[in-house]
């Protein structure tokens, strides 16, 4: 079992050497969100994590409301990765679709039906696969149980489950996100970071 962090531009400037020395082995780095919005610290975080010796994965926060939206998000994701030379072999923690509704965007547009949510996951994942990238789904335990029909997706799909507490109740999870901060020697790193455990090889 190894520990990793989830970071984006919201975490500010990070000391990757300090993070590595703390015992963090991998970083899930946000590439972007919505209709072609690149995370302003994506390249900085990728370079910093790799230079510090961490394994990296990337994730994309979806604002899709239709299957076509989801495909376009995947096309943007894969194009950015190819443009900066991050081919699959350089992303050992793989790519992830962040499917949730933290700010209520999907709710405002009536896009919370489980059939639609599941079809958007499938559209994004299929497009990423078509471009050569393995892709899993990140979501809260509640969404993985009530919003995403995981039984309709590939039985080989990987899941990254967010559930705060002492154990993960989602049996299909290969990565478990269990807390929302990293305390290093009595202080929080700049901005909250989300900590995960993985059982992936």
């Amino acid at each position: 079992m190894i520990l990793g962090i989830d970071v984006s531009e919201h975490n500010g400037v990070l000391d990757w050497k300090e993070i590595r020395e703390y015992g963090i082995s991998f970083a899930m780095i946000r590439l972007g969100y919505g209709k072609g919005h690149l995370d302003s610290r994506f390249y900085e975080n990728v370079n910093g994590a790799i230079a510090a010796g961490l394994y990296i994965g990337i994730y994309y926060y979806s604002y899709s409301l239709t299957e076509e939206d989801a495909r376009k998000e995947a096309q943007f994701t894969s194009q950015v990765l190819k443009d900066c030379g991050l081919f699959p072999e350089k992303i050992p923690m793989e790519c992830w679709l962040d499917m949730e509704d933290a700010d209520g965007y999907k709710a405002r547009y009536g896009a919370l039906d489980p059939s639609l949510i599941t079809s958007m996951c499938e559209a994004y994942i299929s497009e990423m696969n078509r471009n050569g990238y393995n892709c899993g789904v990140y979501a809260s335990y509640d969404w993985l149980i009530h919003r995403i029909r995981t039984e309709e997706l590939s039985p080989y799909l990987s899941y990254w489950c967010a559930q705060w507490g002492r154990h993960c109740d989602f049996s299909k999870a290969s990565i478990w996100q269990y807390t929302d901060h990293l305390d290093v020697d009595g202080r929080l790193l700049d901005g909250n970071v989300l900590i995960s455990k993985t059982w992936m090889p």
Side-chain angles (χ1 to χ4, degrees):
M1 186 179 298
I2 59 175
L3 294 178
I5 61 172
D6 162 350
V7 299
S8 72
E9 62 190 31
H10 300 298
N11 301 113
V13 178
L14 297 171
D15 186 333
W16 286 102
K17 182 181 178 182
E18 180 181 45
I19 290 169
R20 183 72 181 94
E21 289 174 349
Y22 181 79
I24 299 299
S25 297
F26 68 93
M28 297 298 202
I29 299 167
R30 188 177 75 161
L31 184 145
Y33 58 94
K35 295 182 178 179
H37 298 285
L38 182 70
D39 187 290
S40 64
R41 294 193 181 276
F42 174 66
Y43 298 114
E44 176 186 331
N45 283 332
V46 165
N47 291 331
I50 291 175
L54 277 71
Y55 301 115
I56 66 163
I58 71 97
Y59 71 96
Y60 199 83
Y61 186 96
S62 179
Y63 276 98
S64 58
L65 300 175
T66 67
E67 290 182 43
E68 183 58 25
D69 287 346
R71 275 190 288 272
K72 288 180 179 178
E73 290 179 341
Q75 289 164 2
F76 177 74
T77 302
S78 58
Q79 190 59 56
V80 169
L81 293 174
K82 290 177 180 178
D83 286 348
C84 67
L86 282 176
F87 298 103
E89 63 273 13
K90 294 186 177 181
I91 313 174
M93 302 308 294
E94 302 185 337
C95 302
W96 299 85
L97 170 63
D98 185 345
M99 182 56 78
E100 53 184 323
D101 194 33
D103 58 4
Y105 179 83
K106 288 184 174 64
R108 289 195 298 276
Y109 287 92
L112 291 178
D113 180 76
S115 293
L116 174 60
I117 294 292
T118 304
S119 67
M120 291 191 296
C121 289
E122 175 62 30
Y124 184 97
I125 292 163
S126 295
E127 185 64 23
M128 289 295 289
N129 292 165
R130 192 180 71 80
N131 282 279
Y133 293 93
N134 290 329
C135 185
V137 172
Y138 166 89
S140 68
Y141 174 74
D142 181 71
W143 269 57
L144 290 170
I145 295 299
H146 299 114
R147 294 290 178 188
I148 302 171
R149 293 175 174 166
T150 60
E151 69 278 4
E152 296 180 11
L153 298 172
S154 168
Y156 305 106
L157 191 66
S158 296
Y159 293 95
W160 173 15
C161 176
Q163 183 184 18
W164 289 186
R166 296 182 178 275
H167 56 85
C168 180
D169 293 317
F170 189 67
S171 62
K172 298 178 183 178
S174 55
I175 301 178
W176 168 36
Q177 189 173 84
Y178 66 95
T179 187
D180 62 353
H181 68 276
L182 177 61
D183 187 323
V184 178
D185 295 330
R187 70 177 183 84
L188 292 178
L189 292 181
D190 294 334
N192 286 345
V193 291
L194 304 174
I195 311 301
S196 297
K197 296 179 180 179
T198 181
W199 297 272
M200 297 174 68

